[in-house]
Each structure stands twice: as structure tokens, then as C-alpha cells.
Amino acid sequence: MLLGPIALLVAFFTLPMGVFGPEHPVLSWVTFGLALAVVAVLLLRKIGQELLDVPGRPGVVILLLSCFSLVVFATAYLALARDPGQFNGLQTRVDALYFTVITMSTVGYGDIYPSGQHAREVVMVQILYTLVFLTAGATAITRRLRMRFADRAATRRRPPR
């Protein structure tokens, strides 16, 4: 289960990201939009499977897709930071990932903040995306866990026959 998020982090820190940014705005925005749309559709399918108790491990896929969405946003922030005036304090991949996690958790330390309109738009999209898709995924997973714990507890309380 840890291999997926680790592979995503390795890819984020090693793959060249120079193709995204102000030099290629159409490619950057189209890739960002398509990546979020694909992840949203896949998340909704897996959330549905989780809620319908479809056999398999949709919860693991939900966690992996959630991690992938963080990498998508971190990549977008990194690309936006290459455009002067979009971000204050965001310069590295670590900064981009840090800002993504801080935004997702709604902590907002203030050390990195969006100053340009495009950066602010992406931050708003991330907040809405987190509220809708990632919260729904987490809710589906915790629902199944609660059901499993309740089933186990009920099984333990039954007297043996």
C-alpha cells in the first residue's frame, strides 16, 4: 500500500517539470484540467464501489488517487511559481508539495501564499476539490471501516453454538 504513494513522490521529485509553466500555458492548463477530471471520475467510481461494498480494495485505490491529486496540485503550483508574481515563497518542489498539503489541511501558515490571480484560482480549485472529492473518499473509507469493526464486534458478542 505504501509503494503507490512512494512511487508518486519519486516521480514528482525526479521527472522533469520544465514543460509546464508560463512558456507553455495551454499545455499546462489542459494537462492540469484533464488530470483533475480523470482523477475525479476515477474517485467517484471507486467511492461508489466502496459504498456499495463491491468486492476488492477500492479503498486502497481511493488513497492512491488522493495522493495523486496532491501531486497534480503540487505540480501546478510549481509551474505557476515559475511565472513571476504568482507566488511568494514557493521556489522548490518541496515548497510546492508543502503548500499543497498545507492548503489541503486548511492550516495556511502564511509563509507561502498565492499573490497572482491564476495561483489564487488554483488554490480555490484545490480547496473545492478537497472538500468534494477527497472528503467523499475519506468518508467512504471510514464508513467501510466502521462497518467492519461493528461486524467484528457483533461476531465476538454472539454466544458459541
Side-chain angles (χ1 to χ4, degrees), residues 49-102:
Q49 291 175 352
E50 187 72 38
L51 294 174
L52 295 172
D53 291 327
V54 172
R57 301 178 65 82
V60 173
V61 178
I62 291 170
L63 291 173
L64 185 59
L65 289 169
S66 297
C67 291
F68 183 71
S69 70
L70 291 176
V71 170
V72 169
F73 280 105
T75 303
Y77 294 139
L78 189 62
L80 281 166
R82 294 176 55 216
D83 188 2
Q86 289 298 318
F87 273 100
N88 288 327
L90 197 153
Q91 298 171 357
T92 67
R93 292 177 194 228
V94 172
D95 291 342
L97 191 58
Y98 163 81
F99 180 75
T100 304
V101 172
I102 294 303

Side-chain angles (χ1 to χ4, degrees), residues 19-159:
V19 69
F20 302 116
E23 301 85 17
H24 304 102
V26 173
L27 175 66
S28 300
W29 287 111
V30 168
T31 303
F32 176 67
L34 281 175
L36 287 185
V38 167
V39 172
V41 167
L42 292 173
L43 272 170
L44 289 174
R45 289 182 65 196
K46 291 303 174 182
I47 289 167
Q49 291 175 352
E50 187 72 38
L51 294 174
L52 295 172
D53 291 327
V54 172
R57 301 178 65 82
V60 173
V61 178
I62 291 170
L63 291 173
L64 185 59
L65 289 169
S66 297
C67 291
F68 183 71
S69 70
L70 291 176
V71 170
V72 169
F73 280 105
T75 303
Y77 294 139
L78 189 62
L80 281 166
R82 294 176 55 216
D83 188 2
Q86 289 298 318
F87 273 100
N88 288 327
L90 197 153
Q91 298 171 357
T92 67
R93 292 177 194 228
V94 172
D95 291 342
L97 191 58
Y98 163 81
F99 180 75
T100 304
V101 172
I102 294 303
T103 301
M104 182 195 72
S105 65
T106 69
V107 173
Y109 292 124
D111 53 343
I112 298 174
Y113 58 92
S115 51
Q117 295 303 301
H118 294 302
R120 290 176 179 171
E121 291 164 357
V122 174
V123 168
M124 288 187 290
V125 168
Q126 183 190 354
I127 291 168
L128 292 172
Y129 200 87
T130 299
L131 286 172
V132 173
F133 296 105
L134 302 186
T135 303
T139 302
I141 291 170
T142 56
R143 179 189 160 274
R144 180 172 284 197
L145 288 174
R146 278 195 312 270
M147 288 174 46
R148 283 187 180 172
F149 286 129
D151 288 346
R152 285 184 185 167
T155 303
R156 289 182 185 163
R157 281 188 242 139
R158 289 186 197 138

